[in-house]
Amino acid sequence: PVSTGKRGKETPPGVFAILQKKKFHRSNLYSNAPMPFMQRLTWDGIAIHAGQLPGYPASHGCIRMYIRDAEYLF
């Protein structure tokens, strides 16, 4: 399971290359939010990383995963 972008901040569809990887990163855009096992998909703030999965789209466009899944993918 994942949590993707909420209404107005939808996760863009497409095929992406990983532009940057950081084992632990903090968001430059959203209140210094932790982004463990971050893999950047775009230079304007879209990434795959570990985070809360509330069961509905809740991010600002990122793809959040369970920490074990994000670490495995990393």
Side-chain angles (χ1 to χ4, degrees), residues 1 23-24 35-37 49-53 64-74:
K23 192 170 184 176
F24 191 79
M35 300 168 67
F37 301 104
H49 60 84
Q52 295 181 348
L53 303 182
R64 297 182 196 161
M65 308 174 79
Y66 286 130
I67 193 159
R68 69 174 184 268
D69 295 337
E71 182 177 19
Y72 178 80
L73 186 62
F74 187 85

Side-chain angles (χ1 to χ4, degrees), residues 5-66:
K6 61 187 175 182
R7 182 175 286 221
K9 298 283 187 177
E10 290 85 1
T11 302
V15 176
F16 298 89
I18 302 300
L19 301 173
Q20 179 186 35
K21 292 173 76 166
K22 288 181 78 178
K23 192 170 184 176
F24 191 79
H25 178 73
R26 288 198 172 268
S27 173
N28 300 321
L29 300 174
Y30 301 106
S31 303
N32 210 30
M35 300 168 67
F37 301 104
M38 184 275 295
Q39 296 184 76
R40 186 179 304 281
L41 301 177
T42 71
W43 290 116
D44 61 350
I46 306 299
I48 300 169
H49 60 84
Q52 295 181 348
L53 303 182
Y56 52 86
S59 77
H60 287 98
C62 287
I63 300 167
R64 297 182 196 161
M65 308 174 79
Y66 286 130

